[in-house]
């Protein structure tokens, strides 16, 4: 039995092949709203990548379909990097877009706590409390925060 002759592959051909394979494996930058939101959510999971989340959510905000969720997550990213002024500005805008969006309210109250604006923090926690079942885990968390600030829930 005679085998077909072995193909000889030059080094040049192999590196060209590898180059093609490597470029195919590179991730394309997120270009649409949904992929930016997904990428930003992943970046928010770690404080080290929060600065990247700020950039990602800022890019997402350029889309006409940007929601209160995008605005709130941008606010959360600013909160995580310690930029309270930008965090509050974006979280307040999210609150105006959707007054019942609980994650925005929670982060807004936390931001007001961080700048020691007790009255605003209490006001936002009370707004949040009105949206929650007092017996739920979140309702109890809000009640504890209000008690910690010396206020009756």
């Amino acid at each position: 039995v005679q085998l077909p002759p072995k193909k000889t592959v030059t080094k040049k051909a192999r590196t060209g092949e590898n180059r093609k394979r490597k470029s195919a494996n590179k991730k394309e930058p997120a270009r649409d709203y949904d992929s930016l939101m997904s990428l930003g959510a992943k970046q928010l999971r770690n404080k080290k990548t929060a600065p990247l989340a700020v950039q990602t959510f800022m890019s997402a905000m350029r889309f006409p379909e940007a929601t209160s969720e995008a605005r709130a997550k941008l606010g959360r990213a600013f909160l995580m990097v310690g930029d309270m002024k930008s965090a509050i500005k974006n979280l307040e805008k999210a609150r105006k877009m959707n007054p019942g969006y609980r994650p925005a309210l929670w982060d807004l109250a936390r931001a007001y706590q961080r700048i020691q604006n007790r009255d605003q923090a209490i006001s936002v926690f009370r707004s949040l409390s009105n949206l929650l079942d007092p017996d739920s885990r979140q309702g109890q968390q809000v009640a504890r925060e209000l008690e910690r600030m010396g206020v009756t829930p």
Side-chain angles (χ1 to χ4, degrees):
V1 177
Q2 190 175 10
L3 296 173
K6 255 187 166 179
K7 285 187 181 179
T8 54
V9 179
T10 63
K11 187 176 182 179
K12 227 182 211 181
R14 265 187 266 132
T15 55
E17 246 178 58
N18 288 340
R19 212 174 292 127
K20 283 179 196 169
R21 208 175 294 131
K22 283 181 185 172
S23 66
N25 289 336
K26 280 186 184 173
K27 287 188 177 179
E28 287 293 313
R31 295 172 199 256
D32 64 272
Y33 177 74
D34 290 333
S35 60
L36 286 168
M37 290 298 291
S38 178
L39 176 61
K42 288 176 187 169
Q43 293 167 334
L44 273 180
R45 292 181 193 149
N46 185 332
K47 193 166 182 161
K48 289 180 184 175
T49 55
L52 296 173
V54 168
Q55 296 305 312
T56 301
F57 287 121
M58 285 179 89
S59 295
M61 290 307 302
R62 293 188 185 111
F63 285 84
E65 63 265 32
T67 63
S68 58
E69 178 188 10
R71 181 67 68 183
K73 286 187 176 185
L74 177 58
R76 177 176 286 171
F78 278 121
L79 184 64
M80 288 178 72
V81 297
D83 183 347
M84 293 307 115
K85 184 177 179 181
S86 297
I88 289 169
K89 177 181 144 194
N90 283 285
L91 291 164
E92 284 288 5
K93 283 183 181 180
R95 182 185 194 185
K96 282 182 183 152
M97 292 170 77
N98 183 356
Y101 188 56
R102 294 179 294 195
L105 293 173
W106 179 265
D107 288 342
L108 182 59
R110 289 295 204 186
Y112 281 128
Q113 281 181 319
R114 296 248 314 255
I115 64 165
Q116 298 175 0
N117 188 333
R118 183 178 180 276
D119 293 340
Q120 283 293 96
I122 290 169
S123 172
V124 175
F125 273 131
R126 282 205 168 127
S127 297
L128 183 56
S129 180
N130 291 336
L131 298 171
L132 299 169
D133 174 358
D135 296 326
S136 71
R137 195 175 116 213
Q138 289 178 327
Q140 291 173 0
Q141 263 183 308
V142 170
R144 278 193 301 274
E145 287 299 323
L146 287 167
E147 286 170 3
R148 204 173 294 161
M149 289 188 285
V151 179
T152 327

